Amino acid sequence: MKLISACAVYPTPGVPLKMRRHRGCTRTRIESNMINCRIRSLAAAVLALASSPALAIAGTPLLPSERSIGVIEPVARFDGAMPTSVAVSETGRIFVNFPRWGDELAYSVAEWRDGHAVPYPDVRINRKDGADPSAHFISVQSVVADGQGRLWVLDTAAPGFSAPQAGGAKLVAIDLATNTVARTLVFPANVIDARTYVNDVRFDFRVGREGVAYVTDSSLSGIGGIIVIDLATGSASKRLIGHVSTSADPTFVPIVEGQQMRLRNADGSTQPFTVAADGIALSPDGSTLFYTPLSSRHLYSVPTALLRDPKVSEAALAAAVVDLGDKGASDGMEMDANGRLYASDYEHNAIHARDAEGRWTTVVHDPRILWPDTLSMGPDGYLYFTANQLHRQAGFNGGVDRRQAPYMVYRTRVDAAPAPTR
């Protein structure tokens, strides 16, 4: 840094400096001016240092900067592939998953154990090239602990957002007591097509013989829906296909890290970011499903009784959908036992919460929360979430991968318990 004084002494040729006059001034005024120049130069140096993001002087106040809200604690870090989802069981075990989006993967589901990611439930099921697509993980998008001793794995069977492999899109239940697969539910062909991308899931074991699962279809086509699957029979239906509440908002333009987020190709061409229904949460009594498209800032809800009833027409179901207004742009959502809904805000590095009366507050805001993805309520009063820098992937940056490892799982204390599922 080079500092140039704003003042200078102009000498008179042939006159010693101590006798020179400065524009008619006496020696005293010359020396006074020189002292004032030095003071102003020092002040300029202090201001320049205080303004520099790389430099600071002890005791010198820095210029205003963005403030953080709440406290986040690091839980797990990943220096290889980026995770999307985190799940915390009722006993505090932590699980993550890694979709096949281009990163090199040795496994798609892992348990965080003693500071390391361990393939879960074993190496065999994590091999991507098994002969039977229903018997191994192809590209897992979400893992969810159901509070009943099981971890459910939601497999898109769509590596790189390709068309799902026939017979590969599925829900796999793993018994946490034995660490073995308890059952596999392959989605029937009537709810899976070439554009389907199953994204997140919530369970209710209080209805039907063995319960029901609600799954969002976050198709990159922008046209989404909600899949309802009977856990006893495996039969399924897709509802609200193409409805405004399950589809990308055509006017939505996200701003992440100060830049419009678009699909940006290496040749300079761009496309809008159009991802359908994504985040999902279930009220504590199971009566209301909350959900949001990824490409939207709106929160929607629908009565689950209508969603499950095949006799309810699509028109009647659509009429029952409630637009709950702006909540910020969210990826993951979660509900606690008190009816408090948590929603990530990937535009503002934040997580917000909506109480039972519909009032929003900010739980955490921190520049380290780079794309908060999936949320999971732990049994310890903490809300866990991934921060995976999804927006820095090459597909959004002209073919240049701008992500910086590590990718993180954080937690923040909310003093609440998970919403019941039974």
Side-chain angles (χ1 to χ4, degrees):
M1 181 183 301
K2 184 178 181 181
L3 301 176
I4 302 176
S5 175
C7 45
V9 175
Y10 297 92
T12 302
V15 180
L17 180 58
K18 65 179 181 179
M19 296 299 293
R20 293 173 188 168
R21 295 179 179 269
H22 178 47
R23 294 178 178 171
C25 297
T26 64
R27 174 185 171 187
T28 300
R29 292 188 62 184
I30 292 173
E31 290 175 343
S32 176
N33 286 342
M34 293 177 69
I35 292 171
N36 288 336
C37 287
R38 292 190 185 103
I39 292 173
R40 285 195 289 271
S41 296
L42 179 59
V46 170
L47 179 61
L49 287 169
S51 303
S52 171
L55 299 173
I57 296 177
T60 302
L62 297 179
L63 294 178
S65 61
E66 188 173 22
R67 67 188 177 96
S68 295
I69 298 172
V71 177
I72 61 174
E73 302 176 12
V75 174
R77 56 176 289 161
F78 306 92
D79 293 296
M82 59 176 278
T84 52
S85 178
V86 59
V88 185
S89 77
E90 65 269 28
T91 61
R93 294 170 67 180
I94 299 172
F95 303 90
V96 291
N97 72 270
F98 309 87
R100 297 189 186 278
W101 288 349
D103 290 335
E104 287 295 323
L105 298 184
Y107 42 81
S108 201
V109 177
E111 180 176 5
W112 185 255
R113 195 184 303 164
D114 299 324
H116 300 282
V118 180
Y120 190 82
D122 54 43
V123 173
R124 180 197 59 79
I125 198 172
N126 276 280
R127 294 192 182 117
K128 65 178 180 179
D129 54 356
D132 182 358
S134 68
H136 64 99
F137 299 149
I138 300 171
S139 183
V140 174
Q141 177 64 31
S142 293
V143 287
V144 174
D146 67 6
Q148 306 298 316
R150 289 166 298 193
L151 178 75
W152 290 82
V153 176
L154 182 60
D155 189 352
T156 68
F161 301 98
S162 61
Q165 294 183 22
K170 56 190 174 290
L171 274 169
V172 179
I174 301 171
D175 187 326
L176 294 175
T178 62
N179 299 316
T180 58
V181 173
R183 64 180 309 190
T184 298
L185 292 171
V186 175
F187 288 100
N190 66 297
V191 297
I192 300 293
D193 60 36
R195 300 182 304 179
T196 301
Y197 193 86
V198 289
N199 192 294
D200 209 349
V201 58
R202 291 297 179 265
F203 298 91
D204 189 352
F205 303 107
R206 294 162 291 200
V207 295
R209 197 167 80 243
E210 296 182 22
V212 65
Y214 305 101
V215 182
T216 48
D217 176 4
S218 64
S219 172
L220 267 66
S221 69
I223 300 173
I226 297 175
I227 298 171
V228 182
I229 183 167
D230 186 306
L231 298 178
T233 65
S235 61
S237 61
K238 187 185 292 187
R239 310 301 305 266
L240 296 171
I241 301 173
H243 188 261
V244 63
S245 67
T246 63
S247 301
D249 179 352
T251 67
F252 174 71
V253 181
I255 308 294
V256 188
E257 289 196 273
Q259 177 176 287
Q260 286 192 5
M261 186 176 175
R262 295 176 61 88
L263 296 174
R264 301 179 189 277
N265 304 312
D267 63 5
S269 61
T270 69
Q271 296 169 283
F273 180 63
T274 55
V275 184
D278 191 318
I280 188 171
L282 189 63
S283 64
D285 63 1
S287 66
T288 306
L289 190 72
F290 299 88
Y291 58 98
T292 181
L294 187 66
S295 297
S296 172
R297 296 186 184 91
H298 279 242
L299 174 67
Y300 298 94
S301 71
V302 67
T304 55
L306 301 182
L307 196 62
R308 294 192 307 269
D309 190 347
K311 296 178 183 178
V312 174
S313 69
E314 283 298 299
L317 184 60
V321 171
V322 179
D323 184 344
L324 295 169
D326 193 328
K327 55 151 181 49
S330 301
D331 196 328
M333 297 201 306
E334 182 64 297
M335 182 72 69
D336 71 22
N338 300 320
R340 200 177 188 211
L341 174 72
Y342 302 87
S344 68
D345 182 347
Y346 58 76
E347 288 184 292
H348 300 106
N349 312 95
I351 295 173
H352 309 297
R354 180 182 186 270
D355 66 19
E357 284 71 46
R359 297 169 299 198
W360 286 98
T361 56
T362 297
V363 178
V364 287
H365 162 65
D366 192 294
R368 293 171 293 175
I369 306 178
L370 291 165
W371 198 280
D373 199 319
T374 303
L375 315 180
S376 180
M377 189 68 62
D380 52 2
Y382 282 88
L383 180 69
Y384 292 73
F385 59 95
T386 51
N388 60 20
Q389 305 173 52
L390 182 148
H391 62 290
R392 292 181 173 184
Q393 292 180 101
F396 300 110
N397 294 282
V400 179
D401 187 354
R402 300 191 183 280
R403 297 173 299 168
Q404 295 175 285
Y407 313 108
M408 299 296 298
V409 171
Y410 293 109
R411 70 177 186 176
T412 187
R413 189 159 190 86
V414 294
D415 292 321
T421 57
R422 187 179 294 282

